[in-house]
Amino acid sequence: MTPYSPKALGANVSSAPQVSADSLPAELRRIIDRVLKRSKLWPSERADVEAELASHFADGLASGLSVEKLVEDFGDPDAASSLIRRAKIRGRSRTWHAWRLARQLALATLALVVFSYVFVTVRFFVGTPTITRDIRKELNDPIAAIPQNKRGWPTYKQAYAAIVTPEPDAAGSSRSQANGGLDTPEDARRNQDAIVLLRKAAAFPNFGVELDNPQDYEFLLRHQLRLGGKEDWASRKIEQPSRDGPAVEIVLQHLGVIRSFARLLMQDVDLALQAGNSASVSEDLVAGAQMAVQSRESPFLISDLVSLAIGDLVMSKVREVLTRRPDLLTDQSLRQIATALRDIGPRRQLVRFDSELLSFEDILQRSFTDSGNGDGRLTPAGIRLLAQLSQFNGEGPQSGAGEIAAFPVASSIGPGRKALHDMYVSIMTQVKQWEQSPRWARPAPPDPEAIKRGTFPLSPYSFLSLMMPAFNNSVHAADRFDASRDATLAIIALEQFKRAKGRFPASLSELVPSFLPQTPIDIADGQPLRYKPSGDSYTLYSLGANLMDDGGKPAETSSKESQVSNFRPMGIDFSKIHDDWVFFPYKAFPKDQPGN
Amino acid sequence: MKIERELMRGAGPVAVLKLLNRREMYGYELVETLAERTEGALVMGQSTLYPMLYNLEAQGFIESYWKEAGAKGAEGSRDRKYYRLTEKGKKRLADDIKQWEAVIRAMKALGVASIAVPALPARSNP
């Protein structure tokens, strides 16, 4: 045994005795050792107890008691060590007790945190989503119900198969972009057979492209390979995409194809315009407008945006034709073109968000558990889907270990399935209300990004930010299309007026009601479109982004400032922008102006 | 007769305080005195006594100090730790005595304690 050090180190050690247990019999030393070892006291306390017990045994021996008797009288050393420890601890300072309490609280908190984390982690990893709705089928059902004899798609396929590309050049290269390559008059000249088929296909009331059709997928892919100059296009093994995933993964190849067909038709308009072929010009323009109608068939926002792009292409070409050869189109052709443009849909239906909600619900049912009442919590499958969507969108959660470890917590503290659904619906309700305002009086759009910014980046809120459609740009595209269509219909009406009256009207109001149902409005300020007749011609324009009448002077360059998507964005000096949007006479607009 | 552990737990501290109220004592002396004065009824092993002393000290009822017993430096001289009552301990003892008297009266009234309890005889310091 170590001799007792007299130095008092702790509480209640009163002095510095020199007492050693070394001289005690081995049995008594063992008792003292056992008590000291198990009591786990501070060195000073330990020394004090050791000295006192040694002194006690020495007194007993001096009194004539036997070692055995002293051992018996001592009692249970283990019980003694426990009681001594408790008593000594009780005698320690308040500071020490406060520290001990703090430590115990910290440990208890840590234990609670660990327990909670383990609980939420286990709960997270055992959670599995239950897919109860076949959203892909729900989206496809209306298309599948279209009778075969009303579908233009089979004829479009014939046209696609009939498309021919130029021979490879001397360097051996061919067209690199199969769908985007049909954009020169030469392409149109070479593909007259296909163009005849396209006009025929566009005349069908419906497009009739069923979603998730493996035969269509293979057909389009093979012909893309063919048009891309791949010699093994007919024999190459085609791997089909999975069709078990969420609706957002539905492949919409046909939209790119029909858009390239529309470009090909517009190239054919140029050929026919040069040749003075009124019938071909008319047929191509009407067919183009009908393609815009057909492409809206699949109920996706992207379908609507493709429809608007095709419609813009056609309207721009209509204005060009009426500028260059106002006499070329017959009265009947003008009426057919106007009707076809109106058929693309009323303003409020140009972009639709309903299928986006369906897609969001599909994501939710594949990501969250199903509590049976519309609610549920995030699952590992949901995290995988979130990562997949993030890669697709180029944003979202990373895959660091810390973030992975945070998923169970995010699942527990983040919003559940029902909350997310309700938020999505709430935001889209705001969007619909916001969209109802006239463009010139519309306030700032709802900002779903605020939700994302204000929360934990890995939280289930990410689903909202990833799945929320780009409604601001979409609504703006619809506004631009509608403005361009109003102007184009006014230009057709002005031509009809001139043919009927032998002159252009003094104001647009003269067109109403015989040639137009109402005076076209400038979406810049809500006033009538600016119309300036001048002899045998006229100028029709909008104030444009700067809200100033520049006398029909179009933007000379496509500057960044003129590429505004809102009429009153922050940080742009409009005084430097001269960008009236001139619809007539036709001039190649900067690409950011309406109709382009 | 030995006292049951639970009863000893209540009686032990007040007995120790009572002894220390007369004079300061060291541990072995307390054990011996208790056994002797109570005719063996309150026999306490060290495993009970010392934790009790440390508890009383922690609560401020007693205080301790080391002192060399015997002639300083003489053969057989040894350090001992003595305990004495504090003012707080005296108040506590007074309260405890009142409570014990009440208990004894109650026990008498119930016929549990029918014998007279003699007062502890006074002893001089060794």
Side-chain angles (χ1 to χ4, degrees), chain A residues 259-295:
Chain A
R259 197 169 173 179
S260 68
F261 285 161
R263 282 201 293 268
L264 184 64
L265 283 180
M266 295 308 106
Q267 294 303 324
D268 192 56
V269 171
D270 286 345
L271 287 182
L273 191 59
Q274 288 170 7
N277 186 339
S278 171
S280 288
V281 170
S282 177
E283 287 173 14
D284 288 343
L285 291 174
V286 171
Q290 287 169 333
M291 282 182 178
V293 176
Q294 288 175 335
S295 59

Side-chain angles (χ1 to χ4, degrees), chain A residues 224-260:
Chain A
Q224 284 172 8
L225 291 171
R226 177 179 67 81
L227 297 175
K230 308 295 182 189
E231 292 183 358
D232 63 342
W233 66 272
S235 59
R236 185 182 289 193
K237 180 175 171 54
I238 302 293
E239 290 206 10
Q240 294 283 344
S242 166
R243 296 183 175 86
D244 297 326
V248 293
E249 292 180 353
I250 291 175
V251 180
L252 301 171
Q253 302 157 288
H254 60 280
L255 291 177
V257 172
I258 196 168
R259 197 169 173 179
S260 68

Side-chain angles (χ1 to χ4, degrees), chain A residues 156 198 201-205 207 255 258-259 261-263 265-266 284-298 302-315 340-345 349-350 352 481 485:
Chain A
Y156 278 118
L198 290 180
F204 283 88
F207 204 1
L255 291 177
I258 196 168
R259 197 169 173 179
F261 285 161
R263 282 201 293 268
L265 283 180
M266 295 308 106
D284 288 343
L285 291 174
V286 171
Q290 287 169 333
M291 282 182 178
V293 176
Q294 288 175 335
S295 59
R296 292 166 48 79
E297 178 179 272
S298 49
I302 186 68
S303 306
D304 293 344
L305 295 175
V306 168
S307 167
L308 297 184
I310 293 174
D312 276 335
L313 199 62
V314 173
M315 290 186 296
L341 291 178
R342 288 193 179 96
D343 285 346
I344 295 176
Q349 294 175 18
L350 290 178
R352 300 160 297 175
F481 175 89
R485 180 168 60 178

Side-chain angles (χ1 to χ4, degrees), chain A residues 15 18 48 52 56 59, chain B residues 46 50 66 78-79 81 83:
Chain A
S15 60
Q18 280 285 2
D48 194 55
E52 186 162 24
H56 183 99
D59 281 336
Chain B
Q46 293 96 311
Y50 288 107
W66 286 89
R78 186 167 53 252
D79 283 336
K81 192 176 184 184
Y83 293 91

Side-chain angles (χ1 to χ4, degrees), chain A residues 179-392:
Chain A
N179 287 329
L182 303 175
D183 49 10
T184 67
E186 186 53 38
D187 290 321
R189 198 186 314 278
R190 192 175 53 251
N191 284 293
Q192 286 300 307
D193 291 345
I195 287 169
V196 170
L197 287 168
L198 290 180
R199 292 175 188 148
K200 187 178 169 189
F204 283 88
N206 297 101
F207 204 1
V209 185
E210 291 195 38
L211 307 174
D212 288 335
N213 184 313
Q215 288 77 33
D216 284 349
Y217 179 83
E218 181 174 347
F219 172 85
L220 291 174
L221 211 56
R222 288 207 183 284
H223 283 282
Q224 284 172 8
L225 291 171
R226 177 179 67 81
L227 297 175
K230 308 295 182 189
E231 292 183 358
D232 63 342
W233 66 272
S235 59
R236 185 182 289 193
K237 180 175 171 54
I238 302 293
E239 290 206 10
Q240 294 283 344
S242 166
R243 296 183 175 86
D244 297 326
V248 293
E249 292 180 353
I250 291 175
V251 180
L252 301 171
Q253 302 157 288
H254 60 280
L255 291 177
V257 172
I258 196 168
R259 197 169 173 179
S260 68
F261 285 161
R263 282 201 293 268
L264 184 64
L265 283 180
M266 295 308 106
Q267 294 303 324
D268 192 56
V269 171
D270 286 345
L271 287 182
L273 191 59
Q274 288 170 7
N277 186 339
S278 171
S280 288
V281 170
S282 177
E283 287 173 14
D284 288 343
L285 291 174
V286 171
Q290 287 169 333
M291 282 182 178
V293 176
Q294 288 175 335
S295 59
R296 292 166 48 79
E297 178 179 272
S298 49
F300 296 99
L301 178 59
I302 186 68
S303 306
D304 293 344
L305 295 175
V306 168
S307 167
L308 297 184
I310 293 174
D312 276 335
L313 199 62
V314 173
M315 290 186 296
S316 177
K317 193 58 73 179
V318 169
R319 295 194 296 271
E320 183 180 352
V321 168
L322 289 176
T323 299
R324 291 171 59 185
R325 289 288 306 275
D327 58 329
L328 186 64
L329 294 169
T330 64
D331 293 349
Q332 185 184 5
S333 293
L334 290 176
R335 284 195 298 274
Q336 285 176 337
I337 292 168
T339 301
L341 291 178
R342 288 193 179 96
D343 285 346
I344 295 176
R347 163 66 189 87
R348 298 298 172 214
Q349 294 175 18
L350 290 178
V351 286
R352 300 160 297 175
F353 300 111
D354 297 344
S355 67
E356 303 303 307
L357 175 59
L358 272 181
S359 295
F360 185 64
E361 288 172 341
D362 197 19
I363 292 291
L364 291 183
Q365 73 166 348
R366 290 166 186 273
S367 303
F368 288 76
T369 57
D370 185 358
S371 64
N373 62 355
D375 210 352
R377 63 182 188 279
L378 188 61
T379 66
I383 292 296
R384 285 192 293 275
L385 190 53
L386 187 58
Q388 192 180 330
L389 292 170
S390 304
Q391 288 172 358
F392 183 73

